[in-house]
Amino acid sequence: MSNNNASSNLAVVKKAVKQLRIEAKVRRITVSQAATDLKNFCLQNAHKDPLLMGVPSSDNPFRPPKSCGLL
């Protein structure tokens, strides 16, 4: 029973080591650089942002329904 438990623990540790090796290879940048990049992206794409520019009524699926003129 202890041999099975040891092999199970070994498998868990190997999986953890594999994941740590993958994460160690990830390219990292400083927080200040990430913030600058994010700010520049937001400024460059602000004209496309519907939260800033609004949604044209013709494209808005949630616009109020038009009233019916039938009597």
Side-chain angles (χ1 to χ4, degrees):
M1 198 81 166
S2 67
N3 189 20
N4 189 20
N5 192 18
S7 64
S8 175
N9 286 340
L10 182 61
V12 169
V13 170
K14 282 184 178 184
K15 187 175 180 182
V17 169
K18 182 179 178 183
Q19 181 63 34
L20 289 171
R21 285 185 177 148
I22 291 170
E23 290 177 15
K25 292 178 185 178
V26 172
R27 184 181 146 267
R28 301 185 190 284
I29 60 174
T30 61
V31 172
S32 58
Q33 181 61 47
T36 301
D37 291 348
L38 181 59
K39 178 182 170 188
N40 289 336
F41 176 83
C42 291
L43 291 173
Q44 290 171 356
N45 294 291
H47 66 281
K48 299 181 211 173
D49 190 336
L51 295 175
L52 296 175
M53 304 305 292
V55 177
S57 61
S58 60
D59 294 339
N60 187 355
F62 301 106
R63 68 180 176 265
K66 296 178 180 176
S67 60
C68 182
L70 297 175
L71 295 173

